[in-house]
Amino acid sequence: MTKITVVGSASMDLVVTSSIRPGAGETVLGESFKTVPGGKGANQAVAAARLGAEVTMIGCVGDDHLGKSILDNFKANGINTDYMGVIEGMESGTAHIILAEGDNSIVVVKAANDHVTPDHIDKAVDVIKASDIVLIQQEIPEETVVYVSELCGKYNVPLMINPAPARSVPQDVVEQASYITPNEHEADILFGKESLSDVLRRYPNKLIVTEGKKGVRYFDGKEEVVVSGYSVEAVDTTGAGDTFNGAFAVAIAEGMNIKDSLKFANRAASLSVTKFGAQGGMPTRSEVEESL
Ligand code: RIB
C-alpha cells in the first residue's frame, strides 16, 4: 500500500444553503444548515484514503466537541490519527460556507489549525521519512510549510503542495516541491505578471494548473498539455479541488505517469461534486475505476 502523509488543516464545515447569496448589509432566508467534516488537509486525507492509500494525518484540533467529531471522522475513514494534536482551551477550525447560486463562498477560522507548528511536525519526522509522498496546503502557518518542505528535501521524500487558499509560497518551497497544484487565481498570486505559458515551461511536469471544469494544464517538457475535466450534474463543488489533490497524490505515489494520474484525479474530482459536502461525494477506488 502506498503511504501518504497529509500535513494540514482539519476543520468542521458549517454549511447553509440559500437560493440567494446575501450582499453586504443584507439578510436573506436560507433553506438548510448542516455540519460536515472539512478543512483542506482533512479533505485531501479522506480522498486519498477512500482511493486505497495508507494515510497519516498531521494536524491539530481543539478540545471541543467539534474536535472529537473531526477525529472520529478520520478513524471512520481508516486514517492514522497518531499525529493529530488536541490543543487545550482552543476551538477547532471551522469553515463557514454559503452554498448559493451554484457556487460556494467560504470564511475559514483557522483556530487550532494555527497550532500545526514546526514543533508539532518534529513529533512526526519518522512518519514523514517513511512516506511515498507528502501532501500540504496553506490553511496552516507558512513557517510549517517551509519546515515540511525542508524535511522532505533532507529525507528525499516527494512533496506535493496545493497552494490553497491563495497565498504566496516562498521560492525555496516552490523549488523543493515535486508537484505544485494551484488553480488559475493561485497561480497568479504565486507567479505574478509572468504569462502562464512561460511559468509552465519553467516547471515541466511539476506545475499543474487546475482550470475548473476545463480540466488541468501542464508542460510535459515538449508541449503544453490539457487534460480535460468530465462534465457532471454538480450538487456541491466544495472539496472538488481537495479530491483532485488526494487522488493525484495516490496515482503518482503508485507510479502512474502524470497524464494518467491527472485523468484519474479529474475523474475522482468530478464524482465528488455529485453529492453534498466536501467529503460526501468523495469516491472509492472502484467507483473511479468503473467510471473511467
Ligand atoms: O477546499 C474545501 C475546504 O475549504 C472546505 O472543506 C472548507 O473547510 C475550506 O477549508
Side-chain angles (χ1 to χ4, degrees):
M1 237 189 198
T2 48
K3 290 189 171 67
I4 297 190
T5 297
V6 180
V7 181
S9 57
S11 303
M12 197 53 86
D13 288 355
L14 313 181
V15 191
V16 296
T17 60
S18 161
S19 55
I20 317 158
R21 189 180 307 285
E26 193 185 356
T27 301
V28 298
L29 295 179
E31 278 123 32
S32 70
F33 170 70
K34 287 200 177 83
T35 304
V36 289
K40 293 185 190 299
N43 292 344
Q44 295 180 15
V46 170
R50 294 223 180 125
L51 294 168
E54 188 182 318
V55 179
T56 298
M57 178 75 199
I58 304 177
C60 289
V61 292
D63 62 352
D64 51 4
H65 71 285
L66 296 181
K68 191 182 172 309
S69 307
I70 292 168
L71 295 179
D72 286 348
N73 179 59
F74 281 136
K75 287 174 196 145
N77 281 281
I79 293 166
N80 176 11
T81 58
D82 290 353
Y83 303 93
M84 284 299 300
V86 178
I87 310 298
E88 233 174 89
M90 174 59 66
E91 296 83 33
S92 296
T94 47
H96 304 259
I97 303 181
I98 297 175
L99 282 188
E101 300 164 5
D103 211 342
N104 60 31
S105 327
I106 309 182
V107 176
V108 171
V109 180
K110 288 199 285 169
N113 292 308
D114 261 336
H115 289 251
V116 187
T117 57
D119 280 352
H120 183 69
I121 301 299
D122 274 337
K123 298 177 200 146
V125 172
D126 284 349
V127 78
I128 289 177
K129 266 161 96 171
S131 306
D132 293 309
I133 194 161
V134 169
L135 198 44
I136 199 164
Q137 329 67 33
Q138 308 215 96
E139 285 179 334
I140 54 172
E142 181 179 284
E143 57 168 344
T144 309
V145 175
V146 172
Y147 190 58
V148 170
S149 155
E150 286 166 0
L151 283 177
C152 288
K154 182 168 172 194
Y155 297 114
N156 217 6
V157 177
L159 173 71
M160 185 179 292
I161 170 155
N162 171 224
R167 177 171 85 192
S168 64
V169 176
Q171 191 59 28
D172 287 353
V173 177
V174 171
E175 298 304 328
Q176 169 55 43
S178 300
Y179 303 96
I180 313 171
T181 58
N183 62 23
E184 293 156 283
H185 170 62
E186 290 150 5
D188 272 355
I189 306 262
L190 257 67
F191 303 108
K193 294 269 174 285
E194 212 176 329
S195 84
L196 184 56
S197 292
D198 287 349
V199 187
L200 286 170
R201 277 178 162 66
R202 195 138 50 87
Y203 298 107
N205 296 311
K206 161 168 173 164
L207 177 61
I208 313 287
V209 178
T210 59
E211 300 182 332
K213 284 183 206 155
K214 282 189 276 167
V216 294
R217 188 182 294 273
Y218 71 106
F219 182 69
D220 72 359
K222 286 195 189 124
E223 56 181 355
E224 225 171 276
V225 180
V226 175
V227 181
S228 309
Y230 296 83
S231 99
V232 289
E233 194 73 24
V235 171
D236 181 0
T237 57
T238 314
D242 298 327
T243 310
F244 172 86
N245 279 279
F248 184 49
V250 170
I252 286 289
E254 287 181 4
M256 247 186 244
N257 66 43
I258 295 202
K259 200 169 184 183
D260 289 343
S261 298
L262 291 173
K263 243 188 238 175
F264 179 81
N266 276 348
R267 200 52 180 133
S270 74
L271 292 171
S272 77
V273 304
T274 58
K275 291 192 188 137
F276 172 81
Q279 299 173 14
M282 284 178 180
T284 60
R285 184 66 177 238
S286 56
E287 283 168 337
V288 176
E289 282 171 354
E290 275 159 30
S291 66
L292 277 169

